[in-house]
Amino acid sequence: MSELVSGSDPEAQKALADRHLARARRPRSVKTMPAVRPAERGSGTYLRVAPTRSRVLNAFLHEAGVVGLLSPDVTILDEQALAPRLVEVARKYLAPMLAAAGNVEGALRIAAELPPVTTERGARLVVRRALSAPGPVGVCARDYEEHRRKTGAPEQDDLEGQAILAAFAGRVVAQAERLLGPHVREEVQATLRSLAPPRTEGRPARKPSVRMPAAAGQGAPADKKRSLG
């Protein structure tokens, strides 16, 4: 996906968009994907303990480069649904990014083929469009697919998988800001404040609805829910 907005030649951009569209239309099994080479793997630091209590939100903030936009003391109204909502934040910039790069036809196709994201399944559709892309966005997409292969593609209680989705969204937003301008940061800040409003004074912290991966539990039983703080 980042490949589509990396150049300035409209003809080259159109050819890239056509190639991506043809690839996306072909049914593709995750099992047939080429193995990810070590040099293409992510850093493995998607789960972060700061700046907020939500490690899903933290992954987005770090990758988008907007760590200071929110107060550390925010309320996550629905931790389970947060990652898809962050991917939706990123999806809205895909078509404008293509249009800004001179690929209006590609922008129209992306807008038509990627509906608003409301669930994790919808978020995966966006991620799969970036599996063959170079750069940080493509690396994150491949990390997510590799994670799903290793964990048996869980649909819930998968904190690490949701953090990778959030990181993917953050990387798209970071690229959108570079391509479209500083107004992207202001728009993202307003959206994040609606998704993670400041906690009301005296209100108890909401218990997390996702589980920590066993590797990060530091000896705690894998079936026990851990605090995100």
Side-chain angles (χ1 to χ4, degrees), residues 25 28 36 68 105 114-115 126 151 191 194 208 211-212:
R25 285 177 172 172
R28 188 176 188 182
V36 179
E105 182 178 353
L114 292 180
V126 177
T151 59
T191 302
S194 67
R211 297 174 181 173
M212 288 288 292

Side-chain angles (χ1 to χ4, degrees), residues 13-216:
Q13 292 293 316
K14 182 178 183 301
L16 285 171
D18 290 341
R19 190 176 68 189
H20 277 261
L21 178 62
R23 184 184 296 116
R25 285 177 172 172
R26 293 195 300 267
R28 188 176 188 182
S29 170
V30 174
K31 294 182 179 179
T32 63
M33 289 173 52
V36 179
R37 295 189 294 271
E40 296 177 338
R41 296 182 186 274
S43 62
T45 57
Y46 295 110
L47 287 170
R48 297 176 182 270
V49 297
T52 73
R53 297 181 69 255
S54 168
R55 302 200 180 189
V56 176
L57 180 58
N58 292 344
F60 176 87
L61 295 173
H62 277 276
E63 298 296 340
V66 294
V67 172
L69 284 188
L70 293 177
S71 167
D73 190 26
V74 296
T75 299
I76 306 302
L77 300 179
D78 189 348
E79 189 79 24
Q80 189 72 37
L82 180 59
R85 289 176 177 175
L86 293 174
V87 174
E88 169 60 10
V89 172
R91 183 200 65 86
K92 293 179 179 179
Y93 290 108
L94 298 179
M97 289 164 67
L98 282 167
N103 187 357
V104 177
E105 182 178 353
L108 293 174
R109 288 176 177 173
I110 284 290
E113 294 173 4
L114 292 180
V117 175
T118 58
T119 64
E120 186 170 342
R121 182 183 298 272
R124 292 201 303 270
L125 292 177
V126 177
V127 173
R128 289 183 67 82
R129 292 296 297 269
L131 284 175
S132 60
V137 172
V139 167
C140 199
R142 291 186 289 274
D143 280 352
Y144 179 69
E145 288 296 330
E146 184 178 13
H147 170 76
R148 283 177 58 78
R149 286 199 299 269
K150 289 180 177 179
T151 59
E155 295 297 329
Q156 58 184 348
D157 288 345
D158 178 21
L159 180 59
E160 185 175 3
Q162 292 184 34
I164 300 175
L165 280 178
F168 171 86
R171 293 184 183 188
V172 173
V173 165
Q175 187 174 338
E177 183 178 1
R178 290 193 295 270
L179 186 65
L180 302 177
H183 70 277
V184 170
R185 179 169 296 214
E186 298 175 1
E187 294 169 354
V188 169
Q189 182 179 33
T191 302
L192 291 179
R193 285 176 175 173
S194 67
L195 296 178
R199 181 174 298 127
T200 302
E201 187 175 354
R203 179 181 178 181
R206 185 180 179 90
K207 292 183 179 180
S209 58
V210 289
R211 297 174 181 173
M212 288 288 292

